[in-house]
Amino acid sequence: MQQKPKLTLKELGEACGAIVRKDTNERLTNQASEFHAYVTADGSVANVGTDQEDISFGQCVNETGHPLGEWE
């Protein structure tokens, strides 16, 4: 059985960011979320959003087997 290749940091940020925005929009109202995650020049992940979105993003990243601490 082949393992799936790990996502790049950018791909992971985009995937989990989309999930966080979708969850927020479903919970509140369409287009309510302004959450954004990005890779900084030093290679760490930064994000802009609410505290709840930040927590959800961290959970998503951890669930993929890529704890954020690996890149911070």
Side-chain angles (χ1 to χ4, degrees):
M1 182 175 191
Q2 285 186 328
Q3 288 184 326
K4 289 182 184 177
K6 283 191 171 187
L7 296 175
T8 66
L9 188 53
K10 183 176 187 264
E11 292 168 335
L12 182 63
E14 290 171 355
C16 285
I19 290 168
V20 169
R21 283 189 297 278
K22 179 180 176 282
D23 290 348
T24 298
N25 290 338
E26 286 176 354
R27 200 174 64 250
L28 300 175
T29 184
N30 194 28
Q31 303 301 317
S33 177
E34 295 182 11
F35 182 82
H36 181 66
Y38 55 95
V39 179
T40 64
D42 68 358
S44 62
V45 177
N47 64 62
V48 178
T50 66
D51 289 342
Q52 179 60 48
E53 288 172 321
D54 184 47
I55 292 167
S56 295
F57 181 75
Q59 289 172 338
C60 176
V61 171
N62 283 327
E63 288 171 2
T64 66
H66 293 71
L68 280 177
E70 289 180 4
W71 294 304
E72 294 180 325

